[in-house]
Amino acid sequence: MKIHEYQAKALFKEYNIRTVDGVVATTPDEAVATARQMGLPVVLKAQVHVGGRGKAGGVKVVREAAQVAPTAKQILGLTIKGLPVRKVLVTPAVNIGKEVYLSLLIDRGKRKAVFIGCAEGGIEIEVTAKQSPEKILRCEVAAKDLARLDPGVLADFAEKLFPETGQADATAELMCRMGRLFAEKDASLIEINPLITDDQGQVIALDAKVLLDDNALFRHPELLTLRDLDSEDADELAAKEVGLSFIRLDGSIGCMVNGAGLAMATMDTIKHFGGAPANFLDVGGSSDPKKVVHAFKMILKDTEVRVILVNIFGGITRCDDIAKGLLASLKEFEVKVPIVIRLVGTNEAEGRALLEGTPLISAETLEAGATKAAEIGGRS
Ligand code: GDP
Ligand code: MN
């Protein structure tokens, strides 16, 4: 589960991780009142469940009283990566000395928790990881020790972020607190980008991102109340309502698959052949043609989609029902991108017969379908 920055900062506070206190505003007037109380300059920050808000114009330092209302209005009018901004966090602006990157997550391959750091902060860590992987620092710790880390074992890592002794110590302490928060709240990620020193040399978490493990939420009723349905991807929620599991990804190949396992195998196969899936979509075990039409609608909303791969293994799902759904979709809206389809299993022959004469590109195997889709969608 994603939570907002202001909620993550409240958790930080609970764990004595130094941040900047803020107040959430939902209207320009509220922002003005808060800024007046806080004193200028302030930072207005869009509260949406995506990164890169700064780049999208969602984080603004405001120095003049007259600019608070128009800036708040502008940010509240933004839609960032598909999510409308409904809240802005107003915080006192801090004078930044140095910005670094710090996060804590689980490395499943190594079965360890790992702190990731980079002495250059405020950046997109994925870009740095690709372009200068030597700049990415790692510090592995046993997951079972997370709640009781010894700052001593974190000292070298902390010193690479902030060489000055007092700051390195403060950073190691902060990492111990991150560990405890991570373990006690069943987080799957804590990211501080940037972690800064201010003009007095204090180490402060200027931004806060916390992901919580959905499967552990039953243990934390207090965290469940942090869920903001308004802020979850509208398409993903709409999909849930009609019985589809849909998760947006950033590739170019739209996927329509029946069954979560097959959907994952399909995404892996697409990747294996060099393509990039635009979504995970499980139309479920039943084969209501209406669901297929819905699924198409969701996929086609994404303007990045250049090809759709339909991979159906008919068991309970009947191939002819899927074919009917496809035909209905083709009739209902203009599908401008090519559709590659692999359709096998129950009522396969009937399904294929229905699709004869349509422009669908038929594939005998998943490998062939994924290869074709990657060819059309572009290899990443
Ligand atoms: P993100 O773009 O969604 O990651 O939002 P951040 O909270 O990380 O803010 C983006 C950038 O805005 C930071 O890297 C800082 O450079 C800048 N910023 C945010 N808060 C302040 C502040 O209080 N003072 C100053 N000077 N810059 C800030
Ligand atoms: Mn940030």
Side-chain angles (χ1 to χ4, degrees):
M1 180 175 94
K2 294 175 180 172
I3 60 174
H4 288 297
E5 175 191 359
Y6 74 90
Q7 297 167 322
K9 283 183 169 170
L11 287 178
F12 279 13
K13 220 175 162 187
E14 196 181 318
Y15 282 82
N16 281 321
I17 297 169
R18 191 188 285 261
T19 63
V20 191
D21 278 336
V23 175
V24 174
T26 53
T27 64
D29 283 347
E30 280 173 26
V32 169
T34 301
R36 190 173 295 140
Q37 257 180 1
M38 252 172 211
L40 292 165
V42 291
V43 189
L44 302 182
K45 307 179 82 177
Q47 298 297 288
V48 276
H49 287 164
V50 289
R53 295 165 304 167
K55 253 194 204 157
V59 179
K60 290 264 155 64
V61 181
V62 182
R63 300 181 189 285
E64 288 164 42
Q67 289 306 311
V68 178
T71 310
K73 183 159 182 251
Q74 187 209 344
I75 294 178
L76 285 165
L78 288 176
T79 298
I80 303 179
K81 294 183 190 164
L83 295 175
V85 180
R86 297 204 168 89
K87 295 175 188 160
V88 283
L89 178 63
V90 185
T91 66
V94 178
N95 289 323
I96 299 176
K98 184 185 170 195
E99 300 184 68
V100 306
Y101 174 95
L102 176 63
S103 65
L104 173 58
L105 49 105
I106 297 290
D107 183 331
R108 288 169 199 279
K110 299 208 163 159
R111 296 178 163 194
K112 292 221 157 149
V114 57
F115 285 98
I116 306 282
C118 179
E120 290 167 20
I123 36 91
E124 276 181 63
I125 194 74
E126 292 84 358
V127 177
T128 308
K130 246 191 196 155
Q131 290 172 354
S132 344
E134 74 286 353
K135 289 186 182 162
I136 305 292
L137 311 169
R138 291 172 59 92
C139 176
E140 289 170 10
V141 294
K144 66 173 176 44
D145 297 337
L146 267 181
R148 280 176 304 277
L149 288 174
D150 169 8
V153 303
L154 307 168
D156 283 351
F157 178 93
E159 205 181 272
K160 284 186 194 130
L161 295 179
F162 292 115
E164 201 266 313
T165 312
Q167 293 171 2
D169 290 349
T171 305
E173 273 300 332
L174 178 142
M175 289 166 71
C176 294
R177 292 165 187 171
M178 275 169 89
R180 204 157 67 79
L181 166 57
F182 194 101
E184 290 181 2
K185 298 291 184 188
D186 290 307
S188 55
L189 170 79
I190 301 178
E191 185 184 65
I192 306 178
N193 186 24
L195 177 70
I196 63 146
T197 46
D198 67 3
D199 45 12
Q200 269 128 58
Q202 298 278 8
V203 176
I204 303 171
L206 200 63
D207 193 6
K209 178 172 174 180
V210 172
L211 295 184
L212 299 165
D213 184 346
D214 285 314
N215 298 313
L217 279 174
F218 72 95
R219 292 205 284 226
H220 307 284
E222 82 285 4
L223 295 177
L224 211 50
T225 61
L226 302 180
R227 170 156 269 163
D228 179 359
L229 289 180
D230 263 4
S231 211
E232 291 188 11
D233 189 299
D235 291 341
E236 291 179 12
L237 280 176
K240 235 177 246 169
E241 265 164 36
V242 294
L244 302 167
S245 307
F246 175 84
I247 294 174
R248 191 188 306 289
L249 302 165
D250 50 17
S252 59
I253 303 174
C255 301
M256 184 179 333
V257 189
N258 68 317
L262 187 60
M264 291 210 242
T266 305
M267 297 194 312
D268 283 348
T269 312
I270 287 173
K271 280 263 182 195
H272 179 74
F273 288 106
N279 65 277
F280 166 97
L281 197 159
D282 170 14
V283 290
S286 85
S287 48
D288 180 358
K290 264 193 242 139
K291 269 193 184 175
V292 177
V293 176
H294 255 289
F296 255 101
K297 243 184 235 168
M298 322 254 2
I299 295 175
L300 289 169
K301 259 192 182 173
D302 182 347
T303 51
E304 298 297 314
V305 168
R306 289 202 286 270
V307 55
I308 297 171
L309 174 61
V310 181
N311 183 23
I312 302 296
F313 187 84
I316 301 168
T317 308
R318 290 172 27 187
C319 291
D320 53 334
D321 278 340
I322 294 286
K324 278 179 203 153
L326 285 170
L327 289 175
S329 307
L330 291 176
K331 223 191 239 169
E332 191 170 324
F333 24 79
E334 195 187 353
V335 182
K336 287 201 187 121
V337 297
I339 301 171
V340 180
I341 178 164
R342 177 219 180 210
L343 192 60
V344 294
T346 312
N347 290 5
E348 175 182 333
E350 289 85 341
R352 282 184 194 278
L354 281 168
L355 294 176
E356 225 152 85
T358 63
L360 306 191
I361 305 164
S362 174
E364 292 292 318
T365 62
L366 173 54
E367 288 81 355
T371 307
K372 188 79 198 160
E375 241 164 57
I376 304 171
R379 296 189 202 273
S380 54

